[in-house]
Amino acid sequence: MRHHLISVTSVIAAILLGSLAKPFSPRWHDMRIKHSWNAVPENWESLGNPLSGTTIDLYVALKAHRENALINTLHQVSDPNHPRHCCCSKCRYGKYLSDEQVAELVSPPPRTLEFVNSWLEYHGVPSSSVSMTHGGTTLTLSGVSIMQANALLGASYQLYRHVETNETVVRTVGYALPAALHRLVQTVVPTTCFSTPHTQWQSPRKRSGGATAGLKEPVSGEPVTVLSSRDDDWTTPSFLRSLYKTTEYRPAAADRNALGIFGMQDEYPSPDDLAKFMSVYRSDGTDATFIVVQVNAGKYDPTNPAGESNLDTQYAVAMTYPTQVFFYSVGQGRSGTDDWLASWFRYLRTASNIPRTISISYVVDERFIPVDYATYMCTQFSILSILGVSVLISTGDDGVGKGDCVTNDGSVRFISNFPATCPYVTAVGGTTGHEPEIAAGLSGGGFSNVFKRPDYQEQAVTEFLQHLGHQYQGKYNATSRGIPDISAQALNLPVFIKGQKVIAYGTSASAPIVAGVISLLNDYLISRGKATLGFLNPWLYGTGMSGLTDITSGSNPGCNTDGFSAIEGWDPVTGLGTPDFQRLLAILPGRGGAG
Ligand SMILES: *[C@@H]1O[C@H](CO)[C@@H](O)[C@H](O)[C@H]1NC(C)=O
Ligand SMILES: *[C@@H]1O[C@H](CO)[C@@H](O)[C@H](O)[C@H]1NC(C)=O
C-alpha cells in the first residue's frame, strides 16, 4: 500500500518535538550519528563506490508509540501461570494477536509518518517511491540512488566484499539522522550491519571412503567427544525419538500444523537426500517431503544442497513426520545486497500462513551486530511470538567463545551469539550421551551484552550466578539475558548429502530436534482445538520446567577457560535441560478445561 506524502507544517513539527522550534525550520541539517563503526568490520573489504546508477531499497523502521505494550502483551499471552497475567476469567494465555492487533500495538506515535515524510520530501525523495509496510511501522524507500541515500543518512555507501565468502553488500561504516528523528526511528536497513548470521553447520566427517563434494573442511580445535568410528552415528532419529519420548505419539493434525526451517545464503535442502535419510532412519516415512518457500529472490536448486539445510530438514522431518515442513530460502532481493533477516521478516508480515514452530540454525557473534539493528530484529521476533509462533534458535558451537576472546582493553570477555540472545526466542544448546545425557562441550552458552535479563528467567539465572560466585567475574555480563533456555543432542548425527552419509555435529542439529518435539506438542493442541504454545519461555521457566530433564554434568570450554558447568537447575551450557515429550504433554497449559 502506498502512503501519500502529506506536507508538514511547523505546527506538526512543534507538537512532535514538544519544542518551540522556529517556524519553517525543521532543522533537517542537524545530523547526529545513529551508528558508526571505528573501522571497516573485520573480514570485510571495500571495493569502492558502487557502479553509478546503482539503487538500493532503504527500510526506515519506526519506533512504537508504546514500546512496553508489545512486551507486556507478549507476556500475557505466553505465560500460563503468572497471577498478574492470568486471573480468573481474564486469562489471556494463548489469545494470540491478529496482524491488525499487532499493527495497532507497534504503531508509531501520531503524526510520525507525516514528520518523517517531510524529511524525505525535503531531500526530494518522490512520494511514489515511499510505501508503508509492517502495518505502518516501516517506511520502504524503493530504488534510492546511492547519492540520495548518502545525503539522507550522512552516509558513505560502498560496495564491500567478505574476504572468505565473497559475499558482496552495499553498506556504510556509519550513518546519521537529523536529531529530531532519533527518538522516532529505531534503525535504517541496510546501513551498518555487515555480518549476518552464518550457518552452524559443523565438520561433517565422512562415514567411509568416497567423495563428498562440497563439504567444508573440519573446523579444528573443537572439543568434540571422541567416539569410535564404528558407532559414531548413534544419534539417529530412533535414538532421539526414544530419548525425548516421542516414539509413541501419532500426529493427529499433520495437515493443519507445520514446522518452518529458516535458510539463507543460497543454502537449501535436497528432496532426494531426505528420501534416502528417511529410508534408512524412518522407513515408515519414505514419502516425506518439504515445501520450499523462496523469499526475496532466494534460490533453490535441489541438486546442489547445503549441509546445514539437509541436516535441519532431515531431522525436522524425521522428528515430526507426517507434519508439513516448510523450508524458507531467503535471498537478498533485486539488488542482491538486501539484509537476509529483514527480508524474511518482511515476507512473514505478508504471509497468510506462518508455521506454529520455526527453527533457525544461523548465528552471529553479538559484537558484530549494531545495537539499533539487534533491537529492531529482536522486536521482529517478539512480533512472531505474539502471533503465536514458537521460535527455536541454536546458540552456536564454540562454548563460551572461540579463540582467546581478548578485547581491545586486554581483558577476556565471553562471547554470545545473536539472535539466540534475543529474550523473545527460545535458545537451544547442545548435549550428548544418555544415561546420563550430559552437556556437549561445544554448546554455546553465556550472557548477552545487548539484552537485559527478562523477568521469566530472573530466578533461574540468579540461582546459577549465586552458585558461580566470583568465578569469571568481568568475563560475562551478570545483568543480562542468559542462554540457552533448553537443549538437545548435538553430536554424531548422520546426515545424507548428495547421496553420501556424513556425520555432523553442532547446536545446528539441536534446534530442529527441539523444534520437532515442540511441533508435536502443537500438533496435540491443534488436534484438540486448543491454542498452540507460542512463545515458550514463560512456560518453560515456570510449570513447564518439570517436563524437562535437567542436565547436570559437562561444561562448555572456550576463551582459554573451562567454560561454565552444567549444574542442577538452569545453567549457561544446557539451559533448563532437554525435553521429555510425554511429561510435557501431561502438563501442557490449556490441555485441561481450566487453561
Ligand atoms: C572468492 O573469489 C576469489 C577471487 O575471485 C576466488 O579465488 C575464491 O575461490 C572465491 N571464494 C569463494 C569462497 O567463493
Ligand atoms: C551488559 O548488558 C547490558 C544489558 O543487559 C548492557 O546494557 C551493558 O552495556 C552490558 N555491559 C557491557 C560491559 O557490555
Side-chain angles (χ1 to χ4, degrees):
M1 179 172 81
R2 296 283 167 197
H3 177 79
H4 292 287
L5 292 174
I6 296 166
S7 58
V8 79
T9 69
S10 60
V11 177
I12 292 169
I15 292 168
L16 259 166
L17 297 169
S19 72
L20 296 172
K22 274 182 278 161
F24 303 103
S25 63
R27 296 193 300 171
W28 298 131
H29 290 275
D30 179 15
M31 298 289 278
R32 307 275 169 87
I33 289 176
K34 182 79 175 142
H35 179 258
S36 174
W37 300 108
N38 295 329
V40 176
E42 208 177 296
N43 290 326
W44 290 91
E45 62 181 15
S46 172
L47 300 179
N49 292 325
L51 291 175
S52 75
T54 301
T55 61
I56 53 173
D57 296 341
L58 283 179
Y59 300 91
V60 180
L62 304 171
K63 288 185 186 171
H65 185 32
R66 301 172 294 152
E67 271 179 87
N68 295 330
L70 180 68
I71 301 312
N72 287 342
T73 309
L74 174 58
H75 281 121
Q76 286 167 13
V77 300
S78 319
D79 187 343
N81 296 102
H82 202 292
R84 268 187 300 151
H85 296 154
C86 189
C87 168
C88 335
S89 58
K90 286 202 205 126
C91 187
R92 290 189 69 184
Y93 178 77
K95 307 242 176 0
Y96 303 119
L97 273 60
S98 64
D99 285 331
E100 293 72 30
Q101 289 169 317
V102 168
E104 165 75 24
L105 262 188
V106 298
S107 63
R111 301 214 168 96
T112 299
L113 290 175
E114 288 92 326
F115 192 61
V116 173
N117 276 328
S118 71
W119 166 61
L120 297 174
E121 201 170 59
Y122 178 83
H123 282 282
V125 177
S127 60
S128 59
S129 68
V130 181
S131 57
M132 244 171 34
T133 54
H134 293 55
T137 63
T138 302
L139 280 175
T140 300
L141 320 185
S142 315
V144 180
S145 74
I146 296 298
M147 213 167 76
Q148 198 158 42
N150 285 342
L152 275 171
L153 302 173
S156 170
Y157 277 96
Q158 296 190 4
L159 200 56
Y160 289 93
R161 181 172 68 155
H162 192 272
V163 297
E164 283 158 10
T165 64
N166 289 350
E167 183 189 349
T168 55
V169 294
V170 176
R171 296 288 185 273
T172 174
V173 171
Y175 78 107
L177 285 173
L181 289 181
H182 273 241
R183 65 193 187 85
L184 300 173
V185 174
Q186 172 57 42
T187 190
V188 182
V189 177
T191 51
T192 55
C193 189
F194 287 67
S195 305
T196 44
H198 50 84
T199 170
Q200 285 297 291
W201 171 245
Q202 289 280 336
S203 307
R205 281 182 280 132
K206 278 178 269 186
R207 173 72 178 150
S208 57
T212 50
L215 296 180
K216 289 172 190 160
E217 287 305 303
V219 178
S220 59
E222 295 298 337
V224 183
T225 303
V226 179
L227 293 162
S228 80
S229 58
R230 272 174 294 113
D231 58 357
D232 62 359
D233 64 344
W234 51 264
T235 314
T236 59
S238 47
F239 168 79
L240 293 167
R241 293 170 72 221
S242 143
L243 184 64
Y244 300 137
K245 310 272 191 323
T246 66
T247 314
E248 305 301 320
Y249 185 73
R250 297 278 163 272
D255 51 334
R256 285 163 287 160
N257 187 25
L259 173 56
I261 305 286
F262 174 84
M264 57 184 228
Q265 285 160 342
D266 302 336
E267 298 188 336
Y268 29 75
S270 149
D272 290 350
D273 286 335
L274 174 66
K276 204 151 191 178
F277 182 81
M278 294 296 276
S279 71
V280 176
Y281 297 110
R282 241 206 109 167
S283 51
D284 60 326
T286 47
D287 60 342
T289 55
F290 50 81
I291 297 161
V292 175
V293 183
Q294 291 166 263
V295 178
N296 204 22
K299 296 187 182 137
Y300 179 45
D301 170 5
T303 66
N304 188 27
E308 177 68 63
S309 319
N310 269 5
L311 167 68
D312 296 358
T313 310
Q314 288 170 19
Y315 281 84
V317 171
M319 292 300 290
T320 62
Y321 177 83
T323 304
Q324 300 175 79
V325 169
F326 288 87
F327 183 90
Y328 296 98
S329 172
V330 180
Q332 291 186 289
R334 204 169 39 86
S335 64
T337 79
D338 262 8
D339 183 280
W340 313 86
L341 264 186
S343 42
W344 183 57
F345 281 123
R346 279 202 305 281
Y347 163 79
L348 288 181
R349 291 303 294 278
T350 62
S352 54
N353 220 336
I354 305 177
R356 296 294 89 188
T357 318
I358 290 181
S359 175
I360 300 180
S361 292
Y362 292 77
V363 301
V364 58
D365 184 338
E366 211 182 44
R367 294 171 309 167
F368 298 137
I369 299 296
V371 171
D372 61 333
Y373 173 96
T375 306
Y376 171 66
M377 288 304 161
C378 189
T379 302
Q380 299 305 305
F381 279 113
S382 73
I383 289 172
L384 265 189
S385 293
I386 213 169
L387 293 170
V389 178
S390 308
V391 183
L392 289 304
I393 303 186
S394 61
T395 53
D397 299 343
D398 299 311
V400 292
K402 198 174 186 164
D404 62 11
C405 310
V406 176
T407 61
N408 288 339
D409 67 14
S411 61
V412 169
R413 293 285 292 184
F414 292 163
I415 282 154
S416 48
N417 286 320
F418 181 81
T421 48
C422 171
Y424 312 120
V425 305
T426 300
V428 186
T431 60
T432 186
H434 62 117
E435 296 173 349
E437 192 174 4
I438 64 169
L442 57 72
S443 184
F447 297 84
S448 175
N449 281 312
V450 175
F451 301 104
K452 67 179 187 357
R453 180 146 62 244
D455 284 351
Y456 62 75
Q457 66 170 199
E458 184 62 35
Q459 191 186 341
V461 175
T462 305
E463 280 170 19
F464 175 82
L465 293 177
Q466 279 163 359
H467 165 90
L468 188 66
H470 293 300
Q471 197 187 12
Y472 299 142
Q473 218 164 40
K475 291 187 172 60
Y476 70 96
N477 194 324
T479 63
S480 60
R481 153 100 165 118
I483 57 167
D485 300 302
I486 192 168
S487 49
Q489 295 276 319
L491 305 183
N492 307 99
L493 299 114
V495 178
F496 274 94
I497 299 168
K498 293 185 179 174
Q500 294 273 337
K501 183 165 99 175
V502 300
I503 306 302
Y505 63 93
T507 56
S508 265
S510 314
I513 292 167
V514 174
V517 175
I518 299 301
S519 187
L520 293 178
L521 293 170
N522 278 335
D523 175 276
Y524 178 88
L525 290 165
I526 292 169
S527 73
R528 302 291 159 114
K530 304 276 187 186
T532 51
L533 287 169
F535 179 41
L536 300 164
N537 295 6
W539 175 49
L540 293 181
Y541 283 84
T543 50
M545 210 185 293
S546 64
L548 303 175
T549 304
D550 194 4
I551 306 300
T552 58
S553 62
S555 62
N556 57 352
C559 303
N560 293 333
T561 74
D562 295 336
F564 295 113
S565 293
I567 61 163
E568 215 170 283
W570 183 88
D571 50 72
V573 192
T574 59
L576 298 166
T578 58
D580 180 320
F581 178 79
Q582 291 299 341
R583 288 212 308 265
L584 287 166
L585 193 64
I587 56 165
L588 273 181
R591 180 183 169 143

